[in-house]
Amino acid sequence: MVSESSRGRLGWWGVGFALAVVVAATFYAFVGTVVTALFLYYVSRPLYRHLRGHLRPTFAAGASLLCLSIPVVLLLAYTTAVALQELRTLAETVDLGPVQSIVSPYFDVSALVEDPATLFQNPDVVDALLVVFDGVYDYLPFVVSVLLHLFVALALTFYLLRDGPKLAEWVSDVFGDDAGVLDAYGTAVDRDLKSVYFGNILNAVIAAVIGTITYSLLNIVAPPGLAVPYPALLGILVGVTSLVPVVGMKLVYVPVGGLLFGQALLRGDPLWFPVVFFVVSGILIDGIPDLLLRPYVSGRNLHVGLVMVAYILGPLLFGWYGLFLGPLLLVLVFHFARFVLPELLDGTPIQPIVVSPAALRQSHHSTPATAGSVAAESEVTDSTEAESVEEDAEDDEREDTQ
């Protein structure tokens, strides 16, 4: 016979299950918005932490959104719209296969914007705004839906910036354990998501935007009959191929530069334009963003091949937001298998032991005599990470007192 207390617990379990279903359904409906907010959070967090020492948390979070998140979203949307226009032009002469059925619904909407070269040649702000407003009226339901999702993403980003440490502390207090497994798991996930989002994907976005604008402007000064083909599409491809290890965006701009050289030689045109194309591509688009963001990519724990698979399979399985969701799932699964799964299978107590990559490489080639030094390096790594966690906690305390 079921006691009254047991019936009460079963009732609360039923309430909890119903709430979990509602939360899961809401997350599924806004999964693209949520992962976009997570990406914007990692993009804005370095600036927020810098401003937090000078401004109140609310003002620092708002300034970070205005200075980084919103410009990134607007530039990416503009670049994508211009690329869709050129893809529509290309589809008139080339069969794009299944790609055309995916992007064709957005061809008409992309007409709301003008390419950078046209704006530069005819910088009439009033006419441009009139064209945009007319287009917005024609596609009002679509524009309202996009603005709604964008507002939700920016709101989530704002509260993650301002209240993220408090949320992490609450999760640690409620679900944490004495061994500190949850804290170690969260620290490792946070570190790799920072590398993936702020390092890799932001580099791809910046390269795509700079490439689109630069190649479009290059066509203004290009010799007659010699121009960069489909500059916006080329900029998007440059950004996407920046995710490829080792060669990166050279897969795109080197063959295109060779094509421009060949055309110039065959037509007897001056060679300065292909040279400028190579210089701009190698320094402005490939070199500078990679140099600025390299510190945020180095030292990651994820294998390059796994990251590439996540970048490829994510959009194929989930759509556009798979570019953010695929790496997120990879990081969560990887560190679960790293910290928790072996102890669950062995039935031993879970201990959050963290070993640096240098120690792991040394352990593969070490003899029993050097095993002690590897263990010592592991202990040093653990203490360093503990100090970083303590520093974050002190920052959170200072934030609360402001």
Side-chain angles (χ1 to χ4, degrees):
M1 185 175 182
V2 180
S3 63
E4 184 176 351
S5 60
S6 298
R7 286 198 298 269
R9 293 178 63 87
L10 288 175
W12 280 116
W13 273 111
V15 172
F17 178 77
L19 292 175
V21 170
V22 172
V23 171
T26 305
F27 177 80
Y28 179 78
F30 288 89
V31 59
T33 306
V34 173
V35 294
T36 301
L38 194 62
F39 163 68
L40 295 176
Y41 163 72
Y42 280 98
V43 168
S44 305
R45 192 173 70 174
L47 178 60
Y48 168 75
R49 288 182 171 177
H50 175 73
L51 296 176
R52 191 176 56 182
H54 308 281
L55 300 173
R56 295 180 63 85
T58 300
F59 295 138
S64 301
L65 292 182
L66 291 175
C67 295
L68 273 180
S69 297
I70 294 178
V72 166
V73 170
L74 293 179
L75 288 174
L76 183 60
Y78 175 77
T79 303
T80 304
V82 176
L84 284 173
Q85 292 180 8
E86 295 188 355
L87 196 61
R88 179 180 186 176
T89 304
L90 182 63
E92 295 176 356
T93 56
V94 178
D95 184 12
L96 301 179
V99 176
Q100 184 168 351
S101 61
I102 297 174
V103 299
S104 57
Y106 306 101
F107 282 163
D108 294 335
V109 182
S110 66
L112 294 176
V113 301
E114 296 186 29
D115 62 272
T118 303
L119 291 177
F120 185 81
Q121 292 173 338
N122 185 24
D124 193 333
V125 178
V126 177
D127 290 345
L129 289 177
L130 289 177
V131 171
V132 171
F133 287 139
D134 290 341
V136 168
Y137 181 78
D138 294 336
Y139 301 98
L140 188 60
F142 175 81
V143 173
V144 170
S145 176
V146 170
L147 291 178
L148 174 63
H149 285 271
L150 178 60
F151 173 79
V152 174
L154 292 175
L156 287 175
T157 305
F158 174 83
Y159 288 111
L160 283 176
L161 289 172
R162 194 188 68 174
D163 302 323
K166 297 178 182 178
L167 177 62
E169 182 180 358
W170 177 82
V171 172
S172 178
D173 292 340
V174 174
F175 302 102
D177 51 68
D178 296 335
V181 178
L182 182 62
D183 293 336
Y185 178 78
T187 300
V189 168
D190 179 72
R191 185 189 306 113
D192 280 337
L193 286 181
K194 174 185 175 183
S195 171
V196 169
Y197 287 149
F198 188 81
N200 295 340
I201 297 183
L202 182 60
N203 179 57
V205 171
I206 293 175
V209 171
I210 295 177
T212 297
I213 296 176
T214 303
Y215 293 149
S216 298
L217 296 181
L218 274 180
N219 281 347
I220 297 177
V221 298
L226 187 65
V228 179
Y230 301 103
L233 279 180
L234 189 63
I236 293 291
L237 290 177
V238 162
V240 172
T241 53
S242 68
L243 301 174
V244 178
V246 185
V247 291
M249 58 187 71
K250 298 177 183 63
L251 285 173
V252 175
Y253 73 77
V254 169
V256 173
L259 176 64
L260 293 177
F261 261 113
Q263 290 180 346
L265 290 174
L266 291 176
R267 295 165 52 92
D269 293 331
L271 297 179
W272 65 266
F273 184 75
V275 172
V276 171
F277 174 84
F278 267 117
V279 172
V280 169
S281 300
I283 298 178
L284 184 61
I285 302 175
D286 192 0
I288 294 179
D290 181 68
L291 183 63
L292 294 176
L293 298 176
R294 186 185 300 275
Y296 301 97
V297 183
S298 60
R300 62 188 176 192
N301 298 309
L302 300 175
H303 190 274
V304 176
L306 289 177
V307 177
M308 277 301 304
V309 170
Y311 287 142
I312 296 173
L313 293 184
L316 291 179
L317 293 175
F318 306 110
W320 64 267
Y321 59 84
L323 182 64
F324 308 128
L325 183 59
L328 173 62
L329 295 177
L330 170 64
V331 171
L332 294 176
V333 173
F334 175 82
H335 287 296
F336 181 86
R338 179 187 177 196
F339 286 104
V340 181
L341 187 59
E343 284 76 9
L344 290 179
L345 296 178
D346 294 339
T348 56
I350 301 175
Q351 298 293 334
I353 300 176
V354 182
V355 182
S356 68
L360 289 175
R361 288 193 297 269
Q362 183 178 354
S363 64
H364 285 300
H365 305 287
S366 63
T367 61
T370 61
S373 62
V374 175
E377 184 176 354
S378 174
E379 293 176 359
V380 171
T381 303
D382 292 340
S383 63
T384 302
E385 294 188 353
E387 291 175 359
S388 63
V389 172
E390 293 176 359
E391 292 176 356
D392 291 340
E394 293 176 358
D395 291 340
D396 298 338
E397 291 178 359
R398 287 196 297 269
E399 180 180 322
D400 294 336
T401 59
Q402 292 179 348

